[in-house]
Amino acid sequence: MKLYRFLSGPDDATFCHKVTAALNKGWHLFGSPTYAYDKTTKSMRCGQAVVKDIEGQEYGPDTKLSEW
């Protein structure tokens, strides 16, 4: 199965750690990162899509993406 996640967070070290953790669990960057202003919090936010291929498993709506 191929898994997809979109990671997002504030423009600070926590976002970088979130992406780094995903990469170290075998996820791969997919596309370019995004960067946008959040009017509600008056701060910048980052986003990055990641994908991962898992052999021998079937995807279902109950699949917990964060566990992979």
Side-chain angles (χ1 to χ4, degrees):
M1 77 176 150
K2 182 178 278 284
L3 300 176
Y4 170 91
R5 290 178 67 193
F6 185 77
L7 306 174
S8 64
D11 179 22
D12 62 15
T14 60
F15 176 75
C16 294
H17 286 286
K18 186 185 291 190
V19 174
T20 299
L23 294 173
N24 280 283
K25 288 182 178 180
W27 293 82
H28 300 277
L29 300 177
F30 185 79
S32 298
T34 61
Y35 194 62
Y37 183 71
D38 182 341
K39 287 194 267 185
T40 304
T41 62
K42 297 184 172 140
S43 63
M44 295 302 291
R45 303 226 4 123
C46 301
Q48 175 66 57
V50 292
V51 294
K52 186 174 187 180
D53 290 314
I54 306 293
E55 297 296 325
Q57 297 289 323
E58 298 251 347
Y59 171 77
D62 58 336
T63 300
K64 295 196 186 286
L65 300 175
S66 61
E67 291 180 0
W68 294 96

